Amino acid sequence: MSQWAVLFDWDGVVIDSSLMHEKSWEIVAKKYSLPLPLGHFKEGFGKRNETIIPQVLKWAEEPDKVNELAFAKESAYRDLLRDEGIEALPGVREFLNWLESEDVSCVIASSTPKDNLLAALPLLGFENYFIGMISGDDVINGKPHPEPFLKAAEIASVKPEKCLVLEDSHSGVEAGLAAGCKVIAVGTTHPLDSFNFAHAKVSDLKDLDYSQIKSWF
């Protein structure tokens, strides 16, 4: 059993699906004749649709309507994923291979719906790297609440302080720190200097210092 674990956020850490997600919001907005507020995508990044739709987009508050719009958005995203394909971000595959060689457990802890993760994993050939996942469907409280990472640590059977979190969103970094994990901020979505409290910062996973990471645990 691994003595420590790595908890991976997904979008912006493992893959860059931001353009597909942004396009899928545009598809839904057009389909339902709804407005897209300026800057909505950045404001909603890393949050669950159940938060984005009523609070950021202000499209609906009634749960059934929120669910309908969320399902339409994610269906549009999965269609784009299948049509256009996806590749892992730089350094991801190498880091996963290193973790496998070190017998370190890896768990996905993402706000994205589980169906999106299940659609992407085989396209990347990553099915065997992760021992489990926590998706947006598996939590009551999304990031910045620590629940996603606390549950992911349970899957790995290690305490949160024995977990490394990789995150590209401010809400995700906040969630990882609140859970008591070590946190590395990844600069794919926000400038690195906007992350104040992460234990380390990298532009992408190519820049990870494996020896530093190992020394933490």
Side-chain angles (χ1 to χ4, degrees), residues 72-97:
K73 185 264 172 187
E74 299 308 333
S75 294
Y77 167 76
R78 287 190 291 274
D79 287 343
L80 291 170
L81 190 69
R82 283 186 284 266
D83 291 346
E84 299 179 15
I86 196 77
E87 291 189 9
L89 283 164
V92 173
R93 197 175 299 272
E94 292 82 357
F95 187 47
L96 286 168
N97 284 330

Side-chain angles (χ1 to χ4, degrees), residues 137-160:
D137 306 327
D138 300 316
V139 296
I140 296 168
N141 304 293
K143 304 167 189 177
H145 195 281
E147 183 183 348
F149 293 121
L150 294 174
K151 286 191 168 181
E154 286 180 14
I155 289 175
S157 300
V158 296
K159 293 180 178 178

